[in-house]
Amino acid sequence: MTYYAFSADEQPASPGSPYTPKLTRTQRLVYATAGVLIGLMSTFPNALTNVNLANISGSLGLYVAQASCLPALYFGMNASSNLALVKGRAQFGIPLISQGLLALYALTAAVQLIWPGLLMAALARLTNGLAAGALNSLCIFYLLVALPVRARPLALVVGISLTQFGTPLARLIPVELLAVNQWWGLHCLELAVPLALLAVTLIFPLPPSERVVTFERADVLSIALLTPGIVLACIVLGMGKAYWWHDTPLLGELSMACALLLAAGVLIEANRERPLLRLQWLSALNIARFIGVAFLMRLALAEQTFGSVGLLAAAGLNNDQMHDLFELVALSMVAGIVVTVTLLQERRLPLMVVLAATCIGVAALLDSQSSNLTRPHQLYLSQSLIGFGTTLFIGPVLLYGFIQMLRQGRENMISLVVVFSITQNVGALAGSALLGSYQLERSHVQGAALSDHLTIGASDVSARLATGSAALRAVVPDPLQAAVQSGALLARSLNGEATILAFNNAFQLLAGVAGLVVLTVSLSILRRHFLQTSKQKEP
């Protein structure tokens, strides 16, 4: 490849993108396989940590509330990483950026194995978020090289869809494998992923990219202000429910620091001649609508990452009892990619988003009828709809933003990538935080409403207490203690029922969010149709 003379039609689309030489079928298959592997593994280590967070916190010497900052650190760094990565790839080349970040992540994961604790866990999540930001683009680049010219727009759609498989795959890993020697198995697996991907990029390197000087001195100041501001915002969202929003002064202090950093960064960007974030372009109506829809959809997708899993966890189920469910979710996500690729046309992009939001809304309504007897097999349909809607939404909405960017100038590339990354990462955290907080508040309301019907002396309450007391006599001989324990069991049963009802309320809220997306995009489609019809009628 060193002495290959690239023709005019093999030039990179932009600085930082690879050349696209003519390849044999075998070479295309190799690049496609590498791209798929990179896409699937880009979010897998963080998802593996997230779905087992409550269990591994003890092995790290942390309370669960303290450990809640770890996913936030990942999301914050991943959301802000493209402030520097887009220009970094163009100036230093794809191999240096991607392989350097993978090596850094592998190093912190290795050190975490030796010295587990909060500090190393936090550094591992930060470097994981940074590396994942590079891997998301790297997956797209590998697919771009593998596909023929006419099919290259599919690289963007399929590449970003593959990054959504992290959580379903993480749910399929047996807990026994991960929990070996105080969760040493999980940390070993986390180390294996960057090492494997580093080997893939070294054995099957991308074609070279066009390198140009892109960084300016003012970029350093903007990145230094915006990156910690976004990370702090994610920490507040991640820890808000655990420590509660208005009970912890530290959350207020972090929020203030976040606001100051972001305000200073935006002020600097607004007064730059060549800013990283083109605020005027981002405030245009079609782009603002794109940002709003992308953010709301990510909020609605919390139905699966927090809602349905939280519902089953409240019933005492763990990952091993959800394998069949998440196998179906993964297959549904594959089906979503297939449908997206089959139907992909610019005029159909809004319709595909409407269909995806409808699937999520219907799924949320189905789950809102749950009870304390709900088990994974009863969620097969609803969670499959969400898996299908996830990949049906993520690719088309990013492609829509990319098309708008191309029409108005490639200088908006960084703005598009950064804002889309923020909507997905911050939206994911915000969805879990807001849904979890709403569910907790509703559980108190539902618990109070249920307790109003439990009056001392009522025949049904007395019968329930007597039955419970009689059942406990075999292990609690003292009648008084048996009666106390029976009352405690009744209270626990009431709290469990209130929790399920609160989850149902949360699902109804998410159905409303999905409905808002359907309404917004549908009105946009109708408006565009009306304008086109009016122009055709003009003489």
Side-chain angles (χ1 to χ4, degrees):
M1 192 68 71
T2 305
Y3 303 103
Y4 183 87
F6 294 98
S7 61
D9 61 341
E10 296 173 346
Q11 301 298 310
S14 60
S17 300
Y19 285 86
T20 52
K22 296 178 178 62
L23 302 174
T24 65
R25 183 175 298 178
T26 301
Q27 288 173 322
R28 291 188 185 279
L29 181 61
V30 168
Y31 275 112
T33 303
V36 170
L37 178 63
I38 291 170
L40 293 176
M41 291 295 102
S42 61
T43 56
F44 175 72
N46 181 67
L48 199 63
T49 300
N50 286 357
V51 301
N52 296 286
L53 191 64
N55 296 319
I56 66 173
S57 57
S59 67
L60 295 173
L62 306 174
Y63 294 109
V64 175
Q66 293 173 316
S68 64
C69 72
L70 297 179
L73 291 172
Y74 167 88
F75 284 117
M77 186 56 72
N78 189 252
S80 57
S81 60
N82 283 297
L83 284 167
L85 288 179
V86 175
K87 284 192 171 185
R89 282 190 297 267
Q91 182 159 334
F92 303 109
I94 298 171
L96 179 62
I97 295 298
S98 58
Q99 294 168 6
L101 291 178
L102 280 171
L104 178 63
Y105 174 35
L107 177 62
T108 55
V111 176
Q112 185 186 15
L113 270 175
I114 302 171
W115 293 296
L118 178 58
L119 176 60
M120 291 314 305
L123 288 176
R125 297 276 59 80
L126 287 170
T127 54
N128 183 197
L130 197 56
L135 291 175
N136 293 345
S137 300
L138 194 65
C139 166
I140 295 172
F141 288 149
Y142 268 88
L143 296 177
L144 190 72
V145 171
L147 293 172
V149 176
R150 291 185 179 180
R152 279 175 189 161
L154 297 179
L156 185 69
V157 174
V158 175
I160 196 65
S161 297
L162 289 172
T163 63
Q164 307 304 303
F165 282 79
T167 298
L169 292 177
R171 293 278 180 191
L172 297 178
I173 305 299
V175 174
E176 291 82 1
L177 174 65
L178 303 175
V180 173
N181 194 16
Q182 290 293 306
W183 296 91
W184 193 72
L186 184 148
H187 298 309
C188 284
L189 188 56
E190 181 176 12
L191 173 60
V193 170
L195 291 177
L197 295 183
L198 187 59
V200 168
T201 59
L202 289 171
I203 297 171
F204 307 109
L206 280 173
S209 57
E210 191 176 67
R211 294 170 59 179
V212 295
V213 177
T214 56
F215 278 109
E216 302 177 9
R217 289 183 179 180
D219 291 338
V220 177
L221 181 58
S222 295
I223 293 170
L225 291 170
L226 293 173
T227 297
I230 295 170
V231 172
L232 287 177
C234 289
I235 291 175
V236 172
L237 287 172
M239 301 180 70
K241 176 178 174 288
Y243 287 94
W244 204 245
W245 308 96
H246 48 71
D247 289 349
T248 310
L250 178 62
L251 293 178
E253 295 166 3
L254 293 177
S255 299
M256 184 180 298
C258 164
L260 291 174
L261 288 168
L262 293 179
V266 169
L267 183 63
I268 290 173
E269 287 294 287
N271 291 281
R272 288 182 60 186
E273 183 179 349
R274 292 182 297 275
L276 287 171
L277 298 178
R278 297 182 177 270
L279 302 177
Q280 185 175 1
W281 179 73
L282 292 173
S283 62
L285 178 61
N286 60 335
I287 302 302
R289 189 188 303 118
F290 154 76
I291 295 171
V293 167
F295 185 77
L296 286 175
M297 282 292 284
R298 182 50 66 179
L299 285 179
L301 289 173
E303 203 277 1
Q304 187 167 84
T305 55
F306 172 83
S308 60
V309 172
L311 177 72
L312 295 174
L317 278 71
N318 59 30
N319 283 349
D320 287 350
Q321 295 164 297
M322 304 181 200
H323 283 178
D324 290 345
L325 175 63
F326 280 95
E327 285 174 1
L328 282 176
V329 169
L331 290 174
S332 300
M333 294 174 79
V334 173
I337 295 177
V338 172
V339 171
T340 300
V341 169
T342 304
L343 301 179
L344 194 64
Q345 288 185 13
E346 182 181 351
R347 62 185 177 86
R348 293 175 179 166
L349 295 179
L351 293 174
M352 294 166 76
V353 173
V354 169
L355 177 58
T358 302
C359 289
I360 295 169
V362 170
L365 287 176
L366 289 173
D367 286 349
S368 68
Q369 306 302 313
S370 300
S371 70
N372 56 12
L373 298 178
T374 298
R375 292 298 179 265
H377 68 273
Q378 293 165 298
L379 302 179
Y380 284 171
L381 175 59
S382 62
Q383 298 311 299
S384 295
L385 283 172
I386 293 179
F388 178 79
T390 299
T391 48
L392 187 64
F393 141 75
I394 192 76
V397 78
L398 178 57
L399 185 59
Y400 173 85
F402 193 77
I403 291 171
Q404 300 304 314
M405 180 273 296
L406 290 177
R407 287 175 175 167
Q408 298 176 41
R410 292 183 181 274
E411 64 273 9
N412 298 312
M413 169 70 84
I414 297 177
S415 301
L416 169 69
V417 175
V418 170
V419 168
F420 183 77
S421 181
I422 289 174
T423 62
Q424 299 309 290
N425 285 281
V426 178
L429 264 182
S432 296
L434 297 178
L435 186 65
S437 300
Y438 180 72
Q439 186 271 335
L440 190 58
E441 288 284 359
R442 290 301 302 171
S443 68
H444 294 319
V445 174
Q446 294 286 4
L450 290 174
S451 63
D452 287 343
H453 299 285
L454 300 181
T455 55
I456 300 299
S459 58
D460 54 346
V461 176
S462 299
R464 177 68 179 267
L465 291 173
T467 301
S469 180
L472 290 169
R473 289 283 175 85
V475 291
V476 185
D478 187 346
L480 180 60
Q481 286 297 321
V484 171
Q485 292 294 328
S486 178
L489 289 174
L490 179 60
R492 186 183 303 173
S493 177
L494 183 146
N495 289 335
E497 192 66 32
T499 298
I500 300 298
L501 292 174
F503 271 111
N504 288 344
N505 293 155
F507 294 143
Q508 292 165 1
L509 175 65
L510 290 180
V513 172
L516 179 61
V517 173
V518 171
L519 179 62
T520 301
V521 180
S522 298
L523 289 176
S524 175
I525 294 172
L526 291 174
R527 177 178 175 273
R528 186 177 63 179
H529 177 73
F530 176 77
L531 291 175
Q532 290 176 346
T533 305
S534 299
K535 287 182 180 179
Q536 292 173 357
K537 290 182 179 180
E538 291 178 358

